[in-house]
Amino acid sequence: MEQQDKYIRFDWAVKRLLRQKANFGVLEGFLTVLLGENVKIIEILESESNQQTIDDKFNRVDIKAKNSKDEIIIVEIQNTRELYYLERILYGVAKAITEHISLGERYYAVKKIYSISILYFDIGKGEDYLYHGQNNFIGVHTGDRLEVTTKEKDAIVHKVPAEIFPEYFLIRVNEFDKVAVTPLEEWIEYLKTGCIRPDTKAPGLEEARRKLIYYNMSKEEQHAYDEHLSAIMIQNDVLDGAKLEGRMEGRMEGRMEGRMEERLEIASNLKSQGVDITAIQKATGLSSEEIQKL
């Protein structure tokens, strides 16, 4: 691979580079492709993972932005499994809603939230690499979609709940195994492999090819980036090892339980035949108390 073909992982770019206004175009391109509409970022907002110190978290990276429609977009990258992940992203959305409405303000000021999770772990069953959740109210008996009528600025406005309620996108990066054809597929390919096609026309990726080149970083930045990748690999190895040990312990416990049940059954049969307890102990290895309970 030639030097110019080595690109920075998206999670590192989100943490270090894409928060700069000059680089908004990369993130705007990704969001435009994913949401299916032109997205312009006005500013990057404070979020809990905006840390820039040496001991910042490598497991999770997020960025919170406001677009030109005054909506909030949360992009979160999760490298390893976390318990109660769905509950946490729900909490994150609820927190973002309450943070951006002042006490006493009309509910009209509630912001629409887009929550986008880029996941590098197996979150569960499902054959697709992209899942989208959106609130709609559907008639139980009629199957029609509820449309709410409100009066705004002396005009009757029709809204569907999906225009107000949050939207969730779960991108299961490791499940993508297609030949990239569409702009979205090219983006997912980059998220998974770090590769960007030389002839790409996907929004944001052309700019990423220019700005996210590994060899454009200083030696210090390259070292920090390499350490970041190493930390992720070690963390995944630890988790994989723990899962393997758990499976092995489960098998051993299962075998031990099976052997105990077998010995108890043999002891019970011998006892019913009037065999002496001492003889049963020698045959099964059970204690006299365990045999007497049978």
Side-chain angles (χ1 to χ4, degrees):
M1 181 178 288
E2 297 179 2
Q3 286 192 349
Q4 63 265 30
D5 291 333
K6 186 172 182 179
Y7 298 100
I8 304 165
R9 272 175 55 117
F10 193 65
D11 60 341
W12 184 264
V14 164
K15 183 181 286 289
R16 305 287 170 136
L17 301 175
L18 302 187
R19 301 178 192 276
Q20 302 166 13
K21 197 172 185 68
N23 296 329
F24 279 5
V26 177
L27 188 59
E28 288 173 345
F30 169 66
L31 296 174
T32 294
V33 169
L34 181 66
L35 301 180
E37 59 178 316
N38 190 41
V39 174
K40 289 295 179 185
I41 294 175
I42 302 302
E43 61 178 316
I44 300 297
L45 305 169
E46 285 300 315
S47 75
E48 62 185 67
S49 287
N50 279 3
Q51 303 169 14
Q52 295 289 332
T53 60
I54 193 168
D55 59 348
D56 59 3
K57 298 176 182 177
F58 63 83
N59 183 48
R60 179 167 60 87
V61 182
D62 67 22
I63 192 167
K64 186 165 67 171
K66 181 189 290 186
N67 67 13
S68 56
K69 295 194 293 185
D70 209 31
E71 299 168 331
I72 306 299
I73 300 174
I74 302 170
V75 180
E76 181 171 291
I77 303 168
Q78 182 83 10
N79 285 308
T80 56
R81 178 181 294 277
E82 180 179 335
L83 291 174
Y84 311 117
Y85 183 74
L86 292 179
E87 289 85 346
R88 192 171 63 69
I89 62 173
L90 174 62
Y91 173 79
V93 167
K95 186 178 178 183
I97 292 172
T98 56
E99 282 178 345
H100 294 280
I101 184 170
S102 302
L103 189 65
E105 249 185 313
R106 295 173 58 202
Y107 289 120
Y108 175 78
V110 167
K111 307 293 185 186
K112 164 91 175 191
I113 307 288
Y114 293 91
S115 172
I116 299 164
S117 297
I118 301 172
L119 308 176
Y120 286 88
F121 65 90
D122 183 11
I123 196 172
K125 293 183 179 179
E127 297 179 2
D128 209 330
Y129 63 87
L130 175 63
Y131 287 85
H132 176 220
Q134 189 175 23
N135 288 81
N136 280 299
F137 291 91
I138 306 298
V140 173
H141 303 100
T142 61
D144 68 316
R145 189 171 66 166
L146 178 66
E147 187 177 279
V148 179
T149 303
T150 59
K151 189 174 182 180
E152 295 175 12
K153 298 178 181 179
D154 298 321
I156 301 299
V157 178
H158 299 277
K159 293 181 179 177
V160 293
E163 296 177 76
I164 308 299
F165 283 84
E167 291 188 42
Y168 299 87
F169 292 85
L170 299 180
I171 303 173
R172 304 167 71 214
V173 176
N174 294 335
E175 300 303 313
F176 180 76
D177 59 359
K178 302 173 64 177
V179 175
V181 176
T182 67
L184 177 59
E185 290 169 349
E186 286 191 51
W187 259 104
I188 306 301
E189 182 179 60
Y190 163 59
L191 295 178
K192 182 175 182 177
T193 67
C195 297
I196 305 175
R197 298 181 181 187
D199 60 345
T200 184
K201 298 300 180 186
L205 282 183
E206 287 184 278
E207 188 166 345
R209 287 192 76 247
R210 299 193 306 271
K211 296 186 174 181
L212 303 186
I213 299 173
Y214 173 81
Y215 296 99
N216 283 352
M217 293 193 294
S218 68
K219 291 297 181 182
E220 292 77 14
E221 290 172 327
Q222 288 181 17
H223 177 72
Y225 176 71
D226 293 340
E227 288 293 311
H228 169 74
L229 296 186
S230 177
I232 291 173
M233 291 174 65
I234 291 170
Q235 177 77 351
N236 285 328
D237 285 345
V238 168
L239 292 175
D240 289 343
K243 284 189 284 186
L244 179 59
E245 287 178 9
R247 286 196 295 268
M248 291 177 66
E249 287 177 6
R251 292 193 190 105
M252 289 296 293
E253 289 174 4
R255 290 194 191 104
M256 291 298 292
E257 288 175 4
R259 288 171 186 164
M260 177 59 77
E261 289 176 3
E262 185 179 342
R263 286 189 292 164
L264 289 171
E265 186 178 352
I266 293 171
S268 179
N269 290 335
L270 292 174
K271 186 179 179 183
S272 66
Q273 295 172 27
V275 177
D276 182 70
I277 288 181
T278 303
I280 297 175
Q281 282 182 274
K282 290 180 180 179
T284 63
L286 297 174
S287 68
S288 60
E289 291 80 8
E290 288 173 321
I291 296 170
Q292 287 170 357
K293 289 180 182 178
L294 296 173

